[in-house]
Amino acid sequence: VVDVDGVQIGGRDVVMIAGPCAVENRSQILETAQAVKSCGGTILRGGAFKPRTSPYSFRGLEVAGLELLALAREETGLPVVTEAMDTMQVDAVSCYADMLQVGSRNMHNYALLEAVGEAGKPVLLKRGIGATIEEFLESAQCILDTGNPNVVLCERGMRTFETATRNTLDLAAVPMLKHHTRLPVVVDPSHGTGHWWMVPAMAKAAIAAGADGLLVEVHNCPEDALSDGTQSLRPEKFRTMMNDLRAVAEAVGRRCSTADTDHVVRPLMAVG
Amino acid sequence: VVDVDGVQIGGRDVVMIAGPCAVENRSQILETAQAVKSCGGTILRGGAFKPRTSPYSFRGLEVAGLELLALAREETGLPVVTEAMDTMQVDAVSCYADMLQVGSRNMHNYALLEAVGEAGKPVLLKRGIGATIEEFLESAQCILDTGNPNVVLCERGMRTFETATRNTLDLAAVPMLKHHTRLPVVVDPSHGTGHWWMVPAMAKAAIAAGADGLLVEVHNCPEDALSDGTQSLRPEKFRTMMNDLRAVAEAVGRRCSTADTDHVVRPLMAVG
Amino acid sequence: VVDVDGVQIGGRDVVMIAGPCAVENRSQILETAQAVKSCGGTILRGGAFKPRTSPYSFRGLEVAGLELLALAREETGLPVVTEAMDTMQVDAVSCYADMLQVGSRNMHNYALLEAVGEAGKPVLLKRGIGATIEEFLESAQCILDTGNPNVVLCERGMRTFETATRNTLDLAAVPMLKHHTRLPVVVDPSHGTGHWWMVPAMAKAAIAAGADGLLVEVHNCPEDALSDGTQSLRPEKFRTMMNDLRAVAEAVGRRCSTADTDHVVRPLMAVG
Amino acid sequence: VVDVDGVQIGGRDVVMIAGPCAVENRSQILETAQAVKSCGGTILRGGAFKPRTSPYSFRGLEVAGLELLALAREETGLPVVTEAMDTMQVDAVSCYADMLQVGSRNMHNYALLEAVGEAGKPVLLKRGIGATIEEFLESAQCILDTGNPNVVLCERGMRTFETATRNTLDLAAVPMLKHHTRLPVVVDPSHGTGHWWMVPAMAKAAIAAGADGLLVEVHNCPEDALSDGTQSLRPEKFRTMMNDLRAVAEAVGRRCSTADTDHVVRPLMAVG
């Protein structure tokens, strides 16, 4: 079991890590965080450092994004996970985040694996798009070898010939990883499919397959999202999905970490 | 909804198609069929014509296998689905089977698609190992174009770079197929994973993802199976899985077609 | 070495099998065949039976197409290879063709493999889009097991995640197949890339890698082609390519079967 | 055309970049470098920083390895290319190497792409194992955007379902990349196949397909290599291959950079 600031991943509760692809501005992250909290999400995700595939594409707010995540944590009480994309970002990310994410593109970046391991915080390690399960476990081992036992594995879809979905979500990785390791396993149905309307079905399937949690993209206004809008759930869809997941979790002897069903979304008066 | 001799596929009930990879002999198919029946299976599967990759490998019992399937139907009341691998086999298979299967290797065999369509019985069409969802739907259309509306689609795993599993089971195909067609969709977690111990987890996941049924390999004695033994469930494992599936089906508003829980397995006195 | 009506495949000469995807009409096949002949092609290809993915798509001229191929052979002296897609077509195809083709979609169609083997004519076996080299060799073995030793293997591209090309041409299959078998190996750069302008580069590469021949789509008027127009070479491009291939063949100790450089294309007076 | 310390990549000459996977010790790198030089190699490769998939696997000699590469350059006059695996290694690698390599695992490591671009030296960018050609070009653009125009692209094999070879060498990437960019393209048949005996065939094919150069693993004693021994050529095989490549290069209007055919391998008296 990995403890992220009080949230247990790998126990009886299915953990819901949710939030936008990228932190874009104050109101976006605070509104989304409130929505995540009120729907029963247990950890807030959001990217401060983003992959930059062109000099004109959005690179994330960087340190300012980390500060907004910290503010969202303060407002909601949700622990925060965010990605470090280079060894030089690890210190800054560690200062603000409760859990460090190693993204799919960096699963084979051994210097980074070592640096996040040594940072001492829990690590969310995403499977590479072209990586086998065996290689995924080797990368996890690189982190464990630094003496940091708090690694959570995330299946997020493989690259295959199928183009109807953004990636091919390999749910068999869940039982296979659990066969080989005691590390918790979560699933990202947002990147795994690339279509918001497929997320609920695959989220249910992931829990049924034995996942310890989900990583889901939620955005307060997906049509305005700077990235991944087509695979982000709007808050009301996320709420509906959370309600549906509860029954599936119970059917497999788990519990969905969604205590706040009677939570009243408080008006975001502080938000400009 | 496709009706197979009284069993509705695509309705509220999740249909369980189970049986051995191949019909091997009288006692094997009858004992397995009884086990399938007693555990709540609703359709019996079993191959009479098998792919022959070498002159020394088992090719199936052919017409004798069809006769044994008919006998098993008589003994258990379960409708029977079996594969036709060539246009010349379609007549014989149609005589005995309640549903005709087109295997993964023949998804692009247009002459066969047409022949099974024209045979008039319900068709179980398996996705090709290297076929996109779009091509899968095109092949289904070839059958529909013969005037036969009773096509059931079966996701059974794609060929990818991952070697830990026999194939990569593409459960996202379930919601994607349902998005594009009203045809029922079933999932084969046995071929999809290649490991019997993974079948229950992926069966649950398939139902959670919205599958209308499962195609599962069950063998009365997997260690003696002439083919696919490593991915076949023994009857007691199948029974346990069926019990577990019920809760998952209910969690997604479905019902598992498993009324016979108090069924007493009658001694197979007739079996030599 | 496989002998196709006098043309040796697997000897010192690199054999050039060329022609349209499908036989469309008399003038198309005769003009294209003359062009193939005049540019140094040694075997004429052309489909009479075509895969039908929709009831509205072109299915080929069937027996009339076979007759036109026979006419083209008579006019040019080129042996003819064409595809049989079902066991029921094997007799008809055998009557007209000098070599029977098993297409990529049917590489796992064991009934067909056996039927073409038993027909006694040389067989051109194309690798399945999702088939490993090992499976390709097993399918070849199925033909050999009928007592027919005249099998030519054809690499034509695999299905991968890359979408820039229609398929991923696996040229390493050439030395790998030759490592495991003495059967001749030819390469189809037309299907392998899907772009006519890539065909010459990949044709050169195939010969350099050790291929015994090429299978190339040539059409007298690609913009009017009923299928595969974008990957078909027009005759003048084919002629240029043939000239370029000669040097590459010599560089690897082979000879390009292109004696007719001074051939005068005779006017097709007989063609309506 | 990219100039690496006097060696032009992308001109008429086909450039031969050769050397061991990793720098292991003084005699190994010096002997191998001499062999590369004497056989006509034009740039020396060798890893000082190596991917570490386990704490027990060889991580490379690091800075000591860079110093040995510099020594080998002094002894042979060959420019040196070696990999930087993290932004923090870029300065050290830039001090010693004439060209910086970004490995396959780091093709999506944007911080590293930027850092090597800004280092100002020519960059050898390898295609990711699961990366499309489009993504490959985007990563190259990230380097170009730093103002560094000297990028050489390297096709080194994709991850596919085929297991007979280590990767699937996508030689069609050569004409496709040249269709979209003016950057030079080289091919790595060693990683692309994983078998030393396949390297010569695929090297010929790469040149025939239009490659501007090759990246080949050569080791003075492959059976003792700490990594990649099975895909490394011993010097005498490399010499034979170089002789064979010359004719292929000429057949496609190129020249193989192999002037030293009468070079006498001088005894390595200085080597302990």
Side-chain angles (χ1 to χ4, degrees):
Chain A
V1 173
V2 171
D3 183 298
V4 180
D5 205 23
V7 176
Q8 311 284 321
I9 310 181
R12 192 178 166 204
D13 282 358
V14 173
V15 173
M16 189 64 50
I17 307 167
C21 175
V23 180
E24 297 171 4
N25 56 59
R26 195 168 185 272
S27 64
Q28 173 249 12
I29 188 65
L30 292 184
E31 282 182 29
T32 303
Q34 290 290 3
V36 165
K37 170 77 173 180
S38 83
C39 298
T42 33
I43 298 180
L44 178 67
R45 59 151 290 158
F49 294 95
K50 300 301 301 172
R52 180 195 81 123
T53 54
S54 101
Y56 312 111
S57 65
F58 180 55
R59 303 181 62 166
L61 299 182
E62 306 187 344
V63 174
L66 295 173
E67 285 167 355
L68 288 175
L69 285 170
L71 180 61
R73 172 177 50 204
E74 206 177 298
E75 298 254 337
T76 60
L78 295 173
V80 161
V81 58
T82 194
E83 181 173 354
M85 291 178 36
D86 183 60
T87 49
M88 295 202 199
Q89 298 165 0
V90 171
D91 279 352
V93 173
S94 297
C95 277
Y96 292 93
D98 303 290
M99 184 180 210
L100 276 62
Q101 178 178 315
V102 175
S104 181
R105 292 179 176 85
N106 282 307
M107 195 203 83
H108 285 298
N109 184 339
Y110 302 105
L112 182 61
L113 295 174
E114 209 166 296
V116 296
E118 287 168 356
K121 296 219 168 161
V123 178
L124 180 67
L125 176 65
K126 300 190 87 173
R127 180 180 177 184
I129 210 170
T132 62
I133 288 174
E134 187 180 349
E135 291 168 339
F136 191 19
L137 289 169
E138 284 170 357
S139 287
Q141 192 62 41
C142 285
I143 302 172
L144 298 174
D145 287 338
T146 65
N148 184 336
N150 297 310
V151 178
V152 174
L153 303 171
C154 179
E155 161 61 30
R156 47 77 72 211
M158 302 156 58
R159 183 152 275 178
T160 71
F161 63 79
E162 179 58 68
T163 53
T165 44
R166 181 173 176 183
N167 295 291
T168 296
L169 191 62
D170 180 19
L171 286 183
V174 176
M176 187 54 87
L177 288 168
K178 289 186 161 289
H179 189 66
H180 288 291
T181 173
R182 294 190 179 182
L183 299 176
V185 179
V186 302
V187 169
D188 176 350
S190 305
H191 284 89
T193 63
H195 302 290
W196 65 265
W197 59 268
M198 300 184 81
V199 170
M202 299 316 284
K204 288 179 213 166
I207 292 174
D212 297 301
L214 295 170
L215 185 66
V216 175
E217 290 194 337
V218 176
H219 193 286
N220 63 330
C221 191
E223 55 274 28
D224 295 340
L226 296 180
S227 54
D228 286 355
T230 58
Q231 70 193 35
S232 296
L233 292 174
R234 49 182 83 252
E236 59 271 26
K237 297 282 183 193
F238 181 57
R239 179 179 294 274
T240 306
M241 180 179 88
M242 289 298 288
N243 287 333
D244 293 347
L245 293 181
R246 231 159 272 146
V248 177
E250 278 161 22
V252 293
R254 303 295 284 269
R255 207 164 47 192
C256 222
S257 52
T258 57
D260 283 4
T261 46
D262 52 8
H263 178 94
V264 178
V265 183
R266 63 184 176 107
L268 283 173
M269 283 152 52
V271 177
Chain B
V1 174
V2 171
D3 183 296
V4 180
D5 206 22
V7 176
Q8 311 285 321
I9 309 182
R12 192 175 166 206
D13 283 357
V14 174
V15 172
M16 189 62 52
I17 308 167
C21 174
V23 180
E24 297 171 3
N25 57 59
R26 194 168 186 273
S27 64
Q28 174 249 13
I29 189 64
L30 292 184
E31 282 183 28
T32 304
Q34 291 289 1
V36 166
K37 169 76 173 180
S38 84
C39 298
T42 34
I43 299 180
L44 178 66
R45 59 152 289 159
F49 295 95
K50 299 303 300 172
R52 178 196 82 124
T53 53
S54 102
Y56 311 110
S57 65
F58 179 54
R59 305 182 61 166
L61 298 181
E62 305 188 345
V63 175
L66 295 173
E67 284 167 355
L68 288 174
L69 284 170
L71 180 61
R73 172 177 50 205
E74 205 175 300
E75 298 254 335
T76 60
L78 296 173
V80 161
V81 58
T82 195
E83 181 173 354
M85 292 179 33
D86 183 60
T87 48
M88 295 202 197
Q89 297 166 0
V90 172
D91 279 352
V93 173
S94 298
C95 277
Y96 292 92
D98 303 289
M99 185 180 210
L100 276 62
Q101 178 179 316
V102 175
S104 182
R105 292 179 177 84
N106 282 308
M107 195 204 84
H108 285 297
N109 184 338
Y110 302 104
L112 182 61
L113 294 175
E114 209 165 296
V116 296
E118 286 167 358
K121 298 219 168 162
V123 178
L124 180 66
L125 176 65
K126 299 190 89 173
R127 179 179 178 186
I129 210 170
T132 62
I133 288 174
E134 188 180 348
E135 291 168 341
F136 190 19
L137 288 169
E138 284 170 356
S139 287
Q141 192 61 41
C142 284
I143 302 172
L144 297 174
D145 287 337
T146 65
N148 184 337
N150 297 312
V151 177
V152 174
L153 303 171
C154 180
E155 160 61 31
R156 46 78 70 210
M158 302 156 57
R159 182 152 275 180
T160 71
F161 63 80
E162 179 58 69
T163 53
T165 44
R166 182 173 176 182
N167 296 292
T168 296
L169 190 62
D170 180 18
L171 286 183
V174 176
M176 187 54 88
L177 287 167
K178 289 186 161 288
H179 189 67
H180 288 292
T181 173
R182 295 190 179 183
L183 298 175
V185 179
V186 302
V187 169
D188 176 351
S190 305
H191 285 89
T193 62
H195 302 290
W196 67 264
W197 59 268
M198 300 185 81
V199 170
M202 299 317 285
K204 289 178 212 167
I207 292 174
D212 297 302
L214 296 170
L215 184 67
V216 176
E217 290 193 338
V218 176
H219 193 286
N220 63 330
C221 192
E223 56 274 28
D224 295 340
L226 296 179
S227 53
D228 286 354
T230 59
Q231 70 193 37
S232 297
L233 291 174
R234 50 182 83 251
E236 59 271 26
K237 297 281 182 193
F238 181 58
R239 178 179 294 276
T240 306
M241 180 179 86
M242 288 298 289
N243 287 334
D244 293 345
L245 293 181
R246 229 160 273 146
V248 177
E250 279 161 22
V252 293
R254 304 295 285 269
R255 208 165 46 193
C256 222
S257 51
T258 57
D260 284 6
T261 47
D262 52 10
H263 178 94
V264 179
V265 184
R266 63 188 180 104
L268 284 173
M269 284 156 47
V271 177
Chain C
V1 174
V2 172
D3 183 298
V4 181
D5 206 24
V7 176
Q8 312 284 321
I9 310 182
R12 192 177 166 205
D13 283 357
V14 173
V15 173
M16 189 64 51
I17 307 168
C21 175
V23 180
E24 298 171 4
N25 58 58
R26 194 168 187 270
S27 64
Q28 174 248 12
I29 189 64
L30 293 185
E31 281 182 29
T32 303
Q34 291 290 1
V36 165
K37 169 77 173 182
S38 84
C39 298
T42 33
I43 298 180
L44 178 66
R45 59 151 289 161
F49 295 94
K50 299 303 300 172
R52 177 196 83 124
T53 54
S54 102
Y56 312 111
S57 65
F58 179 55
R59 304 182 63 168
L61 299 183
E62 305 187 343
V63 174
L66 295 173
E67 285 168 355
L68 288 175
L69 284 170
L71 180 61
R73 172 176 51 206
E74 206 176 299
E75 297 255 335
T76 60
L78 296 172
V80 159
V81 59
T82 194
E83 181 173 354
M85 291 179 35
D86 183 62
T87 48
M88 294 201 198
Q89 297 165 0
V90 171
D91 280 352
V93 173
S94 297
C95 277
Y96 292 93
D98 303 289
M99 184 180 211
L100 276 61
Q101 179 178 316
V102 175
S104 181
R105 291 178 177 85
N106 283 308
M107 194 204 84
H108 285 298
N109 184 338
Y110 303 105
L112 182 61
L113 294 175
E114 209 165 296
V116 297
E118 286 168 357
K121 297 221 168 160
V123 178
L124 180 66
L125 175 65
K126 298 190 89 172
R127 181 180 177 185
I129 209 170
T132 61
I133 288 173
E134 188 181 348
E135 292 168 340
F136 190 20
L137 289 169
E138 284 170 358
S139 287
Q141 192 62 41
C142 285
I143 302 172
L144 298 174
D145 287 337
T146 65
N148 183 337
N150 297 312
V151 178
V152 174
L153 303 171
C154 180
E155 160 62 31
R156 48 77 71 211
M158 301 156 58
R159 181 153 276 178
T160 70
F161 63 79
E162 180 59 68
T163 53
T165 44
R166 182 174 176 181
N167 295 292
T168 296
L169 190 62
D170 181 18
L171 287 184
V174 177
M176 187 55 87
L177 288 168
K178 289 187 161 287
H179 189 67
H180 288 291
T181 174
R182 296 192 177 180
L183 298 175
V185 179
V186 303
V187 170
D188 176 350
S190 305
H191 284 89
T193 62
H195 302 290
W196 66 264
W197 58 268
M198 298 185 83
V199 170
M202 300 315 286
K204 287 178 212 168
I207 292 175
D212 296 302
L214 296 170
L215 185 66
V216 176
E217 290 193 339
V218 176
H219 193 287
N220 62 330
C221 191
E223 56 275 28
D224 294 340
L226 296 180
S227 55
D228 286 355
T230 59
Q231 69 193 37
S232 296
L233 291 174
R234 51 182 83 251
E236 60 270 27
K237 297 282 181 193
F238 180 59
R239 178 180 294 275
T240 305
M241 180 179 87
M242 290 297 289
N243 286 333
D244 293 346
L245 293 181
R246 230 160 271 145
V248 176
E250 278 161 23
V252 292
R254 304 295 285 268
R255 206 166 47 192
C256 221
S257 52
T258 56
D260 283 5
T261 46
D262 52 8
H263 179 93
V264 178
V265 184
R266 61 186 180 105
L268 284 174
M269 284 154 49
V271 177
Chain D
V1 173
V2 171
D3 182 297
V4 181
D5 205 24
V7 176
Q8 312 284 320
I9 310 182
R12 191 176 167 205
D13 282 357
V14 174
V15 172
M16 189 62 52
I17 307 168
C21 175
V23 180
E24 297 170 3
N25 57 59
R26 194 167 187 272
S27 65
Q28 173 249 13
I29 189 65
L30 292 184
E31 282 183 28
T32 304
Q34 291 290 2
V36 166
K37 169 78 173 178
S38 83
C39 298
T42 34
I43 299 181
L44 178 67
R45 60 151 290 160
F49 295 94
K50 299 302 301 173
R52 178 195 83 125
T53 54
S54 102
Y56 313 110
S57 65
F58 179 55
R59 304 183 62 167
L61 299 182
E62 305 187 345
V63 174
L66 295 173
E67 285 168 355
L68 288 175
L69 284 170
L71 180 62
R73 172 177 50 206
E74 208 176 296
E75 298 253 337
T76 59
L78 295 173
V80 160
V81 58
T82 194
E83 182 173 354
M85 290 180 34
D86 183 61
T87 49
M88 295 203 199
Q89 297 166 0
V90 171
D91 279 353
V93 173
S94 296
C95 277
Y96 292 92
D98 303 289
M99 184 179 211
L100 276 61
Q101 179 177 314
V102 175
S104 181
R105 292 178 178 84
N106 282 308
M107 193 204 85
H108 285 298
N109 183 339
Y110 303 105
L112 183 60
L113 295 175
E114 209 165 295
V116 296
E118 286 168 357
K121 296 218 169 163
V123 178
L124 180 67
L125 176 64
K126 298 190 88 171
R127 179 179 178 186
I129 210 170
T132 62
I133 288 174
E134 188 181 348
E135 292 168 339
F136 191 18
L137 289 169
E138 284 170 356
S139 287
Q141 192 62 41
C142 285
I143 302 173
L144 297 175
D145 287 338
T146 65
N148 184 336
N150 297 311
V151 178
V152 174
L153 303 171
C154 179
E155 160 62 29
R156 47 76 74 210
M158 302 158 58
R159 182 152 276 178
T160 71
F161 63 79
E162 179 59 68
T163 53
T165 43
R166 182 173 176 183
N167 294 291
T168 296
L169 191 62
D170 181 19
L171 286 184
V174 177
M176 186 55 86
L177 288 168
K178 290 186 160 287
H179 189 66
H180 288 292
T181 173
R182 294 189 179 183
L183 298 175
V185 179
V186 303
V187 170
D188 175 351
S190 305
H191 285 89
T193 63
H195 302 290
W196 66 264
W197 58 268
M198 300 185 81
V199 170
M202 298 317 285
K204 287 179 212 166
I207 292 175
D212 297 302
L214 296 170
L215 185 66
V216 175
E217 290 194 337
V218 175
H219 193 287
N220 64 329
C221 190
E223 56 276 28
D224 294 340
L226 296 180
S227 54
D228 287 354
T230 59
Q231 69 194 36
S232 297
L233 291 174
R234 50 182 83 253
E236 59 270 28
K237 296 283 181 192
F238 180 58
R239 178 179 294 278
T240 305
M241 180 180 87
M242 289 298 289
N243 287 334
D244 292 346
L245 293 181
R246 229 159 273 147
V248 177
E250 279 161 22
V252 292
R254 303 295 286 268
R255 207 164 47 191
C256 222
S257 52
T258 57
D260 285 5
T261 46
D262 52 8
H263 178 96
V264 178
V265 184
R266 65 188 177 105
L268 283 175
M269 283 153 50
V271 178

